[in-house]
Amino acid sequence: MALGGSPLLRNEIDGACSTRRLFLYLLAPLLAFRLWLAGALPITGDEAYFIWWGKIPDWGFYDHPPMIGWWLAAQLALGDGAAWLRLTSVVQPMLLAGAVAWFVPRIWSGAEEWRRWSAALLVLLAPTSVWNVLITTDTPLAYGSVLSGLAWLRARRDGHLGWYLASGLALALAVLSKYFVAFLGFAYLVDALRRPDRRSLAGLAIVYACCLPALGLMAWWNMGHCWPNYMFNFVNRHGKSAFSWQTPLLYAVTLIYLLTPPLVWRLGKLRRRPELTSVALLAGVPLLLFGLLSLKKTVGLHWMLSFLPFVFVLAALALDERALARLRAFFLGFAALHVVLLGAVGLTSLERWQGTKWYDSVVLAFEAPQIAARLKPYAAEYAFASDGYADAVTLGYNARRYFLVFGEASSHARHDDILTDFSALDGRNILILRKSAPPPGAYEPYFRELRTATFTLHGVTFHQIMGRGFDYPRYRDTVLATVRDKYYRVPAWLPTTACYFCDRYWPGQPCPR
C-alpha cells in the first residue's frame, strides 16, 4: 500500500502539519505583542532592584544567587532601555517552546509529530507566556531548569552520560539563579531512586557534581557577607508565617489559573502511565513541594513558572488526539482573551485605577521619569533616598542615580545595606521621597535642620523630606542597631569570616548570634 493510502496515517500527518503550522504562525504575533508590552510597561520595583545588581555587579547579592545580576550587567553594557533589558524574558516562551519541540521526540520515541507540536503550543500559549515580560531571577531560572529537565529526560531514555552532564550544567545555571531549583534537584533524586541502577545513580552524581562549584561560590560569598541569602530565605522573611487554610487555597487557585482549568481537569482523569513516570515526577514533585510550603507561606505565582513546561509536556504525551485538540483550542482562546484584556487596560488612564491599594505605587512607576526630573535641581546638594527599596530603586533607575533606603524598611530586598555606608554620609544633606506623609518625629532626630515639600501627580501626593546635617551616630545607635538586631542575628553554627553590616558600623564588635 502506498504511504499516502492509509487514512489513519494521512490524518496523523495532516494533524501534525496543522499543529506545526499553527505554532509557527503564532510566533510572530505573540512576539510582537510581548515586545509592545515590554516597551509599554514601566520598570517595576523588583526589576529595578535587579538592574542595580547589574549596574554594580558582585559575586553575590543579598536575596538570591547572582546570575540575574551578571545577566543584566552584560546587557547594560549595550543599553538600559526597558524593552532591551527585558528581551531575554520577552523571547523566553518562544525559545523554551522550541526546545520542547526539539526534545519531545528524543525523550519518548513513540511521540507522534502532533504530540511534539502540541507540547510546544501549550508552552507558547500558557497564560504567563502571554503577559510575563518582566526580567527577574525567574528568567535565568526558567532557562536553566527547563533545559536541565529536558536533558535529564533525554538521559533517562538511554542512559547516555553526556546528557546527564548537559542536565547538570543547565542545573548549575539554575542554581546560580534561585534556590527553588532545589525542588527540581529533588525530583531527579526521586526519579533515580524509583528504579536505582548503576547508570542512573552515576548520572545523578554527575548532575549534582556539576552544581558543586556554584554552591561553593554561594557558600564562600555568604560566609564573608553575614549569610544574607540564608537569613533572608530561611529566617527573616518567615517571621509571621503560620499554618493557614487560606494560603493553600490561594495556591490551588493560582495553579489552576497557570495550568488552565481544562488541563487540570484532564490531568486529574489520567491513569498512571509507567513510561511517563519521569516526566510526571519532574512535573509533580516541585508542585507538590510548593503545595506543602503553602500550608504556612503564600506561594508566589512566579515561583512555579520554571516547572510548568514539564506539566505541558506530560499533557501532550498522555492525552489523546481529540483531547489535545480541544486543549489547544482553549489555550489559543485564553491567550487571545489575555491580549484583548491587556490591550483594553492599556487604553485606560491612570486615574481609572484610583482607589486601589496599589494606586500610589502605579503612579510612581509610570511617572518616575517626571519625579526624577523634579528632583534634579537638588542633585548637587543632596543624597537621594526613599523609605522603601521598591521606590528607591525605581526612582534610581529613572534618574540614572542611586537612591539609598532611609529607615528600617522591611526584610525584603535589603541589598542597600551592602551598597550604602551611612558613616560616609555624616553631616551630609539627604532628600527622602515618600508616597505618604512622614509620621511625626520620624526624621527630626537625625538632622540638624529639616523642611518638607509636597507635589501631586494624578491625585497622589508625594512628600519631599529635605534634611540638612545628617547625624550618623544617632542614626547608627537607633535605626541601624534595630536593623542589626532584627536581620543580622546569624546562627552560631554558620561559619562567618566577615559581616559588612557589623564590621562597617561597629568595628571590632561581632554581630549578635
Side-chain angles (χ1 to χ4, degrees):
M1 179 183 292
L3 183 64
S6 168
L8 183 61
L9 181 58
R10 194 161 52 243
N11 290 339
E12 182 177 317
I13 294 173
D14 291 344
C17 290
S18 63
T19 306
R20 179 175 178 272
R21 280 196 300 269
L22 179 60
F23 174 82
L24 296 175
Y25 288 159
L26 289 172
L27 288 176
L30 182 60
L31 177 61
F33 176 76
R34 288 174 60 82
L35 284 170
W36 167 78
L37 196 59
L41 284 176
I43 289 291
T44 65
D46 280 356
E47 289 179 294
Y49 184 63
F50 300 132
I51 288 170
W52 278 104
W53 289 10
K55 286 179 178 289
I56 310 173
D58 201 346
W59 290 109
F61 301 97
Y62 180 86
D63 319 67
H64 301 292
M67 182 55 67
I68 189 61
W70 300 348
W71 197 295
L72 286 168
Q75 288 185 263
L76 285 164
L78 301 176
D80 63 357
W84 162 245
L85 295 178
R86 288 168 166 163
L87 186 61
T88 52
S89 183
V90 168
V91 300
Q92 188 168 79
M94 297 80 183
L95 296 181
L96 294 185
V100 165
W102 190 87
F103 269 98
V104 162
R106 291 166 175 81
I107 62 178
W108 195 36
S109 57
E112 300 88 344
E113 281 292 291
W114 54 268
R115 292 190 183 277
R116 171 189 189 180
W117 294 106
S118 292
L121 261 177
L122 296 183
V123 173
L124 185 70
L125 296 177
T128 53
S129 295
V130 178
W131 57 262
N132 182 27
V133 297
L134 307 184
I135 179 72
T136 67
T137 51
D138 300 287
T139 305
L141 174 66
Y143 280 115
S145 297
V146 174
L147 293 176
S148 175
L150 293 173
W152 172 269
L153 293 172
R154 178 66 179 85
R156 294 293 284 162
R157 175 181 164 182
D158 57 17
H160 197 289
L161 294 182
W163 283 109
Y164 283 116
L165 177 63
S167 177
L169 293 174
L171 192 68
L173 165 65
V175 167
L176 286 169
S177 302
K178 204 166 187 175
Y179 292 113
F180 279 131
V181 71
F183 290 0
L184 184 61
F186 183 69
Y188 294 166
L189 176 64
V190 175
D191 189 32
L193 293 182
R194 67 184 176 89
R195 284 189 309 178
D197 55 51
R198 176 181 290 183
R199 201 74 172 177
S200 61
L201 294 179
L204 181 68
I206 289 172
V207 170
Y208 284 178
C210 287
C211 298
L212 292 179
L215 293 172
L217 172 65
M218 291 295 88
W220 166 78
W221 184 86
N222 274 271
M223 193 183 304
H225 292 80
C226 330
W227 289 94
N229 289 180
Y230 173 83
M231 293 301 295
F232 170 69
N233 287 288
F234 296 100
V235 180
N236 295 335
R237 72 187 303 182
H238 303 294
K240 296 182 179 179
S241 295
F243 286 104
S244 169
W245 63 268
Q246 294 176 310
T247 46
L249 180 61
L250 178 61
Y251 172 68
V253 171
T254 303
L255 192 58
I256 290 170
Y257 164 73
L258 292 173
L259 295 176
T260 74
L263 177 55
V264 172
W265 180 72
R266 291 191 179 279
L267 289 175
K269 296 175 64 179
L270 283 180
R271 295 182 178 179
R272 186 175 179 274
R273 299 272 297 276
E275 71 274 19
L276 296 179
T277 300
S278 292
V279 184
L281 288 173
L282 267 58
V285 168
L287 297 181
L288 176 61
L289 292 174
F290 279 126
L292 295 175
L293 183 62
S294 74
L295 296 173
K296 293 187 64 175
K297 182 77 179 173
T298 299
V299 175
L301 177 150
H302 57 291
W303 296 0
M304 297 174 269
L305 301 185
S306 299
F307 311 107
L308 300 183
F310 303 120
V311 182
F312 301 139
V313 169
L314 176 63
L317 294 178
L319 297 177
D320 60 52
E321 187 172 5
R322 184 178 180 185
L324 266 180
R326 291 180 175 177
L327 201 58
R328 292 194 303 266
F330 180 87
F331 267 61
L332 181 58
F334 202 38
L337 178 62
H338 279 77
V339 170
V340 171
L341 291 176
L342 289 170
V345 169
L347 296 175
T348 63
S349 65
L350 283 177
E351 286 78 6
R352 171 66 179 79
W353 305 99
Q354 199 163 9
T356 60
K357 63 180 181 180
W358 33 262
Y359 177 66
D360 55 354
S361 297
V362 171
V363 172
L364 184 141
F366 276 94
E367 297 298 341
Q370 184 177 339
I371 296 171
R374 282 177 174 266
L375 301 181
K376 192 173 183 180
Y378 303 96
E381 192 176 359
Y382 288 86
F384 287 168
S386 190
D387 61 331
Y389 89 90
D391 294 348
V393 292
T394 302
L395 292 166
Y397 166 76
N398 286 277
R400 271 51 177 184
R401 169 183 173 144
Y402 190 73
F403 278 58
L404 60 92
V405 178
F406 195 94
E408 183 180 326
S410 73
S411 62
H412 289 261
R414 300 198 61 91
H415 195 67
D416 182 70
D417 288 349
I418 298 176
L419 298 182
T420 298
D421 182 354
F422 281 98
S423 66
L425 296 171
D426 190 27
R428 293 273 307 276
N429 303 330
I430 302 177
L431 188 156
I432 305 154
L433 187 86
R434 296 174 53 107
K435 302 192 298 284
S436 59
Y443 298 106
E444 286 84 354
Y446 309 117
F447 294 97
R448 184 184 69 251
E449 176 186 332
L450 198 73
R451 66 187 181 92
T452 62
T454 62
F455 61 90
T456 301
L457 291 173
H458 301 283
V460 175
T461 300
F462 293 91
H463 300 259
Q464 294 175 206
I465 297 92
M466 291 167 281
R468 304 181 69 85
F470 173 58
D471 187 344
Y472 158 68
R474 179 174 291 187
Y475 188 82
R476 177 197 59 203
D477 294 341
T478 53
V479 174
L480 296 179
T482 300
V483 169
R484 176 197 60 192
D485 294 342
K486 286 184 69 173
Y487 302 123
Y488 288 94
R489 287 186 173 274
V490 181
W493 59 268
L494 283 172
T496 303
T497 58
C499 178
Y500 55 86
F501 200 80
C502 295
D503 294 347
R504 178 187 297 156
Y505 299 125
W506 296 275
Q509 300 181 35
C511 278
R513 297 182 71 122

